[in-house]
Amino acid sequence: MVTTEQAAAAPGGDPYQSDCATRRILDRIGDRWTVLVIGVLGEGDARFSELRRRIEGVSQKMLTQTLRGLERDGLVRRTVHPQVPVRVDYALTDAGTTLLEPLRALQQWSIAHLGDVSASQEAYDRSK
């Protein structure tokens, strides 16, 4: 684990400081919609409507905002195909692809520990 002092000394900055650029990156990749969009696009390119179908519960507005942010950050590429009707595809960039492994590790961790976390939540709720 990196200490706050080590992070502050690192050339990338200190994500524990609110104005640090690395904090903004962590905010982006830690967002639940980002995690799910990256996961779907890790399976291949997708159109907006496909992403919306695959990611239950995401609103059109949130999906649009998430995709724009990911495109701005260089994690997703948006390709417009000039045809009638216009077709837009989304794909992971090389940088976005590097997120697949750590995000899959988090997904596997959540599956492996679902029972423990659920039991802890129930015990906590009963005690309140």
Side-chain angles (χ1 to χ4, degrees), residues 14-35:
D14 181 359
Y16 295 97
Q17 298 294 315
S18 64
D19 61 345
C20 181
T22 56
R23 163 87 66 96
R24 290 188 293 277
I25 293 170
L26 288 172
D27 287 344
R28 167 77 62 214
I29 63 176
D31 175 75
R32 73 173 163 165
W33 301 122
T34 292
V35 170

Side-chain angles (χ1 to χ4, degrees), residues 118-128:
S118 294
S120 292
Q121 290 171 339
E122 290 171 13
Y124 178 89
D125 291 346
R126 279 194 306 272
S127 72
K128 297 297 169 194

Side-chain angles (χ1 to χ4, degrees), residues 15-64:
Y16 295 97
Q17 298 294 315
S18 64
D19 61 345
C20 181
T22 56
R23 163 87 66 96
R24 290 188 293 277
I25 293 170
L26 288 172
D27 287 344
R28 167 77 62 214
I29 63 176
D31 175 75
R32 73 173 163 165
W33 301 122
T34 292
V35 170
L36 297 172
V37 167
I38 297 289
V40 171
L41 292 178
E43 298 170 6
D45 298 3
R47 296 175 71 179
F48 186 92
S49 58
E50 294 172 71
L51 289 165
R52 185 109 189 266
R53 264 195 312 276
R54 292 282 315 275
I55 304 170
E56 292 183 15
V58 68
S59 67
Q60 180 172 339
K61 178 182 176 182
M62 283 309 304
L63 183 55
T64 298

